[in-house]
Amino acid sequence: MTTTSKQDRVLIFDTTLRDGEQSPGATMSHNEKLEIAAMLDEMGVDIIEAGFPIASEGDFEAVSDIAKASKNSVICGLARANFKDIDRCWEAVKHAAQPRIHTFIGTSPLHRDITALSMDAMADQIHETVSHARNLTDNVQWSPMDAIRTEHDYLCRVVEIAIKAGATTINIPDTVGYTIPRESADIIRMLLERVPGADEVIFATHCHNDLGMATANALAAVEAGARQIECTINGLGERAGNTALEEVVMALKVRHDVMPYDTGIDTTKIMGISRRVSQVSGFPVQFNKAIVGKNAFAHESGIHQDGMLKNKETFEIMRPQDVGLAGTSLPLGKHSGRAALRAKLEDMGYPMADNQLKDVFVRFKDLADRKKEVFDDDLIALLRDAGAADQNERIKVKFLRVICGTEAPQSADLTLEVDGVDKQVTCQGDGPVDATFKAIKSIFPTTARLQLYQVHAVTEGTDAQATVSVRLEEDGKIVTGQSSDTDTVVASAKAYVNAMNRLLVRREKSAPDSDVKTVKYTDAV
Ligand code: KIV
Ligand code: ZN
């Protein structure tokens, strides 16, 4: 086996579908997970962590189906340190050409306290569970959760036990995003120096972003000898998220002069998958986000624009094309035909089958009738709504008329189709959006609490579409709905209904105590 520190190739382990999907409100449907996994596979991700099979039936099915469909990537599932989790994980990943079991336990004093395990008892448990996993497959990853806050001597001891029990990858998680680059590197270096057998395994780095240093910490770990980076698309993940795939991959590409490590990622696929993950997770990408933000290649000031016209390298350290953005973007209009739309979507990283194009074209024509120019971002919003409509939604907005203005009361006349039956109601409220939401709730009563209501314009101009995000919470389950329309109140109604439909799927998919968000990380053997 190639040893950790000699290998110049850094493996990319994507955990968008596991750690990323754990972000409150980022739940994806089965088909969406399969689609994202196929995109990850195609872009060259080495290992896809497809889910946490014991967490719910839905997670198990998703991991199994991704394992069956995978072409190139290793397919990995997560399991706590007990035989039941590990067996369930194996049942799901075993269909892959290259399966991996990833088992973990919290090793820091705080986590040992929760599990009420002594250092010795935990060490025994690690030996038993890793050996058990290794009897099922020769590709076993082990993680000491909260490694960064684990006593160094104990960390060395448990890593050695995991290696002896047969782990082939040792992941060092900064579970709470607490470390800094120097420490991240020192810990990897220490493990490589002190642990017998360390040069026979791959060390991985898994960094959370609570202090905004996840990418820097991951790269520091690589410089110290780690050869697997765990990351997610758009940095999705618990709390402030994880290392963003696009950031580490582009950093290694752009600064190859000082970090001479390669990844197998086709970077031209980055923008397409970033947009798709944003759509299916309902998490908009912040405008100034590195690499994939809307402004990442935009230049506003006169000095910058002047420099760009003379030599693009003055203010761009990578080309938009390197991450899959077409150089210039010409808007479409109502006279644009099917072929122009297809070419444009292909250019943006969304190749369409004929039947998909048919539906998107109808939506495009409808939008182009209401809006003079249809920009790339309008098309992206339109694709998201088309995707949502595909998902057999139980509730649909059929008709909405609001009365608003300076004279109260504002009211909404709404017809929803619920399970194929039209239901109509008129409600008053404190403004048109409040009246509309009250109307939805009066037709489809729910105890879900509105946690967030956010509107942003997709493009400029008074005819711009508004994208509305709505986040609902019910019994600890959080879902996000999104929709876009040139009419902000219509977009609000559709976003609320989209969130409701996601909540209904979540309700069906899992009982609260078997849900991925509520699985306790502390089960013993
Ligand atoms: O952050 C973390 O510690 C994790 C583990 C499950 C690897 O995600
Ligand atoms: Zn994590």
Side-chain angles (χ1 to χ4, degrees), residues 19 206 208 242:
D19 210 324
H206 176 114
H208 281 266
N242 293 58

Side-chain angles (χ1 to χ4, degrees), residues 144-181:
M145 185 166 72
D146 207 11
I148 298 294
R149 294 190 297 173
T150 301
E151 303 90 330
H152 287 184
D153 286 348
Y154 190 58
L155 187 62
C156 289
R157 177 178 166 197
V158 288
V159 166
E160 183 180 347
I161 289 170
I163 295 174
K164 286 210 172 105
T168 43
T169 300
I170 300 290
N171 176 36
I172 301 301
D174 179 19
T175 305
V176 288
Y178 182 69
T179 198
I180 61 165

Side-chain angles (χ1 to χ4, degrees), residues 87-275:
D87 291 342
R88 188 78 176 143
C89 178
W90 175 242
E91 282 309 305
V93 296
K94 71 177 183 194
H95 307 286
Q98 304 177 75
R100 173 180 292 187
I101 296 174
H102 175 193
T103 180
F104 74 99
I105 192 163
T107 50
S108 67
L110 287 160
H111 287 276
R112 292 201 306 270
D113 230 36
I114 295 175
T115 44
L117 286 172
S118 67
M119 281 183 167
D120 288 345
M122 185 171 282
D124 288 345
Q125 185 170 330
I126 292 164
H127 175 77
E128 280 175 42
T129 49
V130 175
S131 306
H132 183 71
R134 185 58 202 251
N135 285 334
L136 298 168
T137 172
D138 59 8
N139 195 338
V140 175
Q141 171 165 329
W142 180 73
S143 296
M145 185 166 72
D146 207 11
I148 298 294
R149 294 190 297 173
T150 301
E151 303 90 330
H152 287 184
D153 286 348
Y154 190 58
L155 187 62
C156 289
R157 177 178 166 197
V158 288
V159 166
E160 183 180 347
I161 289 170
I163 295 174
K164 286 210 172 105
T168 43
T169 300
I170 300 290
N171 176 36
I172 301 301
D174 179 19
T175 305
V176 288
Y178 182 69
T179 198
I180 61 165
R182 192 182 60 230
E183 185 183 51
S184 173
D186 286 347
I187 290 180
I188 296 291
R189 219 172 276 122
M190 171 193 75
L191 292 166
L192 284 167
E193 277 165 12
R194 284 182 52 184
V195 176
D199 58 346
E200 295 299 321
V201 298
I202 297 279
F203 275 88
T205 174
H206 176 114
C207 300
H208 281 266
N209 203 31
D210 299 63
L211 292 174
M213 287 188 279
T215 296
N217 290 335
L219 293 171
V222 167
E223 291 197 276
R227 287 296 176 269
Q228 174 177 302
I229 299 179
E230 307 212 351
C231 49
T232 58
I233 302 294
N234 299 340
L236 215 58
E238 292 271 17
R239 305 180 310 279
N242 293 58
T243 301
L245 178 145
E246 59 277 9
E247 291 177 9
V248 279
V249 167
M250 288 313 290
L252 290 174
K253 185 171 169 144
V254 173
R255 295 312 312 273
H256 205 262
D257 55 335
V258 286
M259 294 182 290
Y261 314 106
D262 300 319
T263 72
I265 299 294
D266 174 355
T267 62
T268 64
K269 307 265 190 239
I270 282 178
M271 201 54 85
I273 193 164
S274 159
R275 286 168 170 168

